[in-house]
Each structure stands twice: as structure tokens, then as C-alpha cells.
Amino acid sequence: MSTQTAAKTTNTNSKVKMIAQIGMLGAIAVVLMLFEVPLPFAPSFYEIDFSEVPVLLGCFVMGPVAGVAIEFIKILLNFVINGTVTAGVGELANFILGVSFVVPAGMIYRKNHTRKGAIIGMLVGTVLMTFAGCFLNAYVLLPAYGKAFGMPIEALVSMGTAVNANITSLFTFIAFAVAPFNILKGVLDSIIVFLIYKKVRPIFSM
């Protein structure tokens, strides 16, 4: 076998391996989406899951493009399995939020391939996801949920007031429910990835 042929074979095998790993991580992410934990400071429709953990792992191992692909597979499979109550708006918003978290983290880690780079990347990703989450909830998600369930925004705010007395308007809903939710999600996912990355990294090299 010539050197050129061997190189092509190796390249093809690497691509197939990457596709398989992206699919595997996407499937794991979908399973993790099924295990949601309610939060004491937010209405019941805000439940945290750890589906971004495999997405972020894939982003660190294979790069930001792979992270976007894993996020897309996660959202698509969840849409097929569980359907939607927001005509796809919620799923699109979740995709945007996931990408806003993992892509900046992956890009920073790729340029600064150190523990410090990973931490900075995850912090930046958490901040960007929080800002994106606040904007999308205020102007897209909450109006979409209200329309889907035939409820005015005021009714959704009231659901927030029932569990958190600080929530009295759309602004305070975003400040005391949405923002903490995204910060907590980003921090928890980051801590898990930080703790397990070195242990699972060798699996992707097999």
C-alpha cells in the first residue's frame, strides 16, 4: 500500500470514527434530557438537565463544529421522540442556547489547550448562554409557551410568583428565574466536564 493510499485510508477511518462518536454523544445527550430536576426558585416548566455535558465533552475533544453537530442531533432526536408544544420554537431556542454555551467554550479551549483555557471557556460560555437565555425567554420562549397553552404573559409571571415572591413582572421573572437557571446549568455542566474530562478523554482515542 502506498503512503498516499495509507493516508487516505487513515483520513477516512478518522472521519468515520468522528461521525460515530458524534452520534454516540448525541444519543447520550438525548437520554440525559429525560432526567430533569425541578428548581425551587422557578416555575415547574423550568427543569434542569445535564444533556449539555456530552455536547461539551465532544466540543472539547473534536472541536466546535462537532459540538454543534451533537447539539443538533440531541434536539432533533428529542423532537422526534417527544414532539413539541411550541411548534418547534422551544427546540430552536434550546439549540441556540446550547450552541451559545459549548461553541465559545470549545473555541477558547482549542486556542488555549490547558486547564485554565477550559475553565475560561466554560465561564465565557456560561455568561453568553445566560444572556442568550434571558433574551430568548423574554422575546421568544415565554410568548411561545403562553400562546401554546392559551395563557397571557401575566399568568406565566404569576406561576413564577407562586414559587418566588421576588417575581412580580416579566423583568423580575427573567432576573430571578431565567438568569439563575442558566447560570446554574452552565456551572453544573462545567463542573461535571471539568471533573470527568481527563478520565473519559482516552476513550475517544481508541
Side-chain angles (χ1 to χ4, degrees), residues 46 130 133-139 142 167 169-181:
Y46 283 95
T130 300
C134 290
F135 177 83
L136 287 173
N137 273 271
Y139 297 104
L142 290 175
I167 298 175
S169 64
L170 179 59
F171 176 79
T172 53
F173 191 107
I174 299 301
F176 293 108
V178 177
F181 168 83

Side-chain angles (χ1 to χ4, degrees), residues 34-73:
L34 301 176
F35 300 94
E36 298 178 318
V37 180
L39 300 172
F41 58 80
S44 58
F45 50 87
Y46 283 95
E47 295 182 317
I48 199 165
D49 64 63
F50 299 99
S51 61
E52 301 305 333
V53 169
V55 183
L56 186 55
L57 282 173
C59 208
F60 278 176
V61 174
M62 295 176 280
V65 175
V68 173
I70 297 167
E71 186 71 35
F72 178 77
I73 290 172

